[in-house]
């Protein structure tokens, strides 16, 4: 049979018609999963008064200002972590090279490197 179209009114009172829902593939007796509902089946929510419209504009503007700031803070923190990690890597490389250039025994080099790694790890735990 033919499907009926839903009538909806917005805040201005104008009629809007929604396209009929396509129910192809739905079988009788089959359980319906409401999580899979298309967005068209949700009620239309619009501001009804001038105060609600003004509030919506301020919320959108606040979000437009706040989100880039939040994103910039996260990006800066990630950049700082990369710089810090590269400094640690460079310092460990320089320590290994120094010990090798000075003909320090392999066993002692391993002990020094393990101690340095332990100290860095304990400092990182204190920071967190």
């Amino acid at each position: 049979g033919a499907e009926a179209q839903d009538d909806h009114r917005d805040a201005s009172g104008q009629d809007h018609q929604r396209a009929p829902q396509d129910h192809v593939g739905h079988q009788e007796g089959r359980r319906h999963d409401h999580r899979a509902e298309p967005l068209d089946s949700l009620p239309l929510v619009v501001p009804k008064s001038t105060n609600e419209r003004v509030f919506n504009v301020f919320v959108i503007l606040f979000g437009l200002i706040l989100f880039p700031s939040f994103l910039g803070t996260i990006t800066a923190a990630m950049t700082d972590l990369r710089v810090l990690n590269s400094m640690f890597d460079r310092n460990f490389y320089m320590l290994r090279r120094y010990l090798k250039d000075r003909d320090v025994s392999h066993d002692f080099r391993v002990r020094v490197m393990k101690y340095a790694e332990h100290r860095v790890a304990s400092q990182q735990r204190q920071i967190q």
Side-chain angles (χ1 to χ4, degrees):
E3 294 178 4
Q5 292 183 342
D6 295 331
D7 289 336
H8 295 280
R9 294 183 188 267
D10 67 8
S12 66
Q14 295 177 344
D15 285 335
H16 293 279
Q17 290 187 342
R18 290 195 174 168
Q21 299 295 320
D22 186 0
H23 295 288
V24 175
H26 290 278
Q27 299 171 357
E28 287 187 22
R30 183 174 166 194
R31 293 184 77 181
H32 185 68
D33 186 3
H34 293 286
R35 291 173 293 175
E37 281 291 321
L39 292 177
D40 289 345
S41 68
L42 298 175
L44 187 61
V45 178
V46 294
K48 297 189 185 333
S49 69
T50 303
N51 287 340
E52 289 178 355
R53 287 185 182 96
V54 169
F55 177 77
N56 283 349
V57 168
F58 279 117
V59 167
I60 290 170
L61 289 175
F62 182 73
L64 287 173
I65 292 168
L66 188 65
F67 181 71
S69 171
F70 174 71
L71 192 61
T73 301
I74 298 271
T75 303
M78 290 179 65
T79 301
D80 289 346
L81 282 173
R82 280 194 197 114
V83 167
L84 191 60
N85 282 336
S86 68
M87 285 174 41
F88 281 130
D89 291 344
R90 186 168 189 267
N91 287 340
F92 277 113
Y93 169 76
M94 289 173 54
L95 178 59
R96 276 192 302 272
R97 186 170 173 178
Y98 176 83
L99 293 173
K100 189 171 185 168
D101 289 348
R102 301 293 184 258
D103 292 325
V104 174
S105 72
H106 177 72
D107 291 340
F108 189 67
R109 277 188 286 173
V110 170
R111 287 178 58 197
V112 168
M113 292 305 296
K114 282 186 179 182
Y115 178 73
E117 289 170 1
H118 168 73
R119 290 292 295 164
V120 167
S122 65
Q123 287 177 352
Q124 286 176 341
R125 282 193 298 271
Q126 287 177 351
I127 292 172
Q128 295 175 356

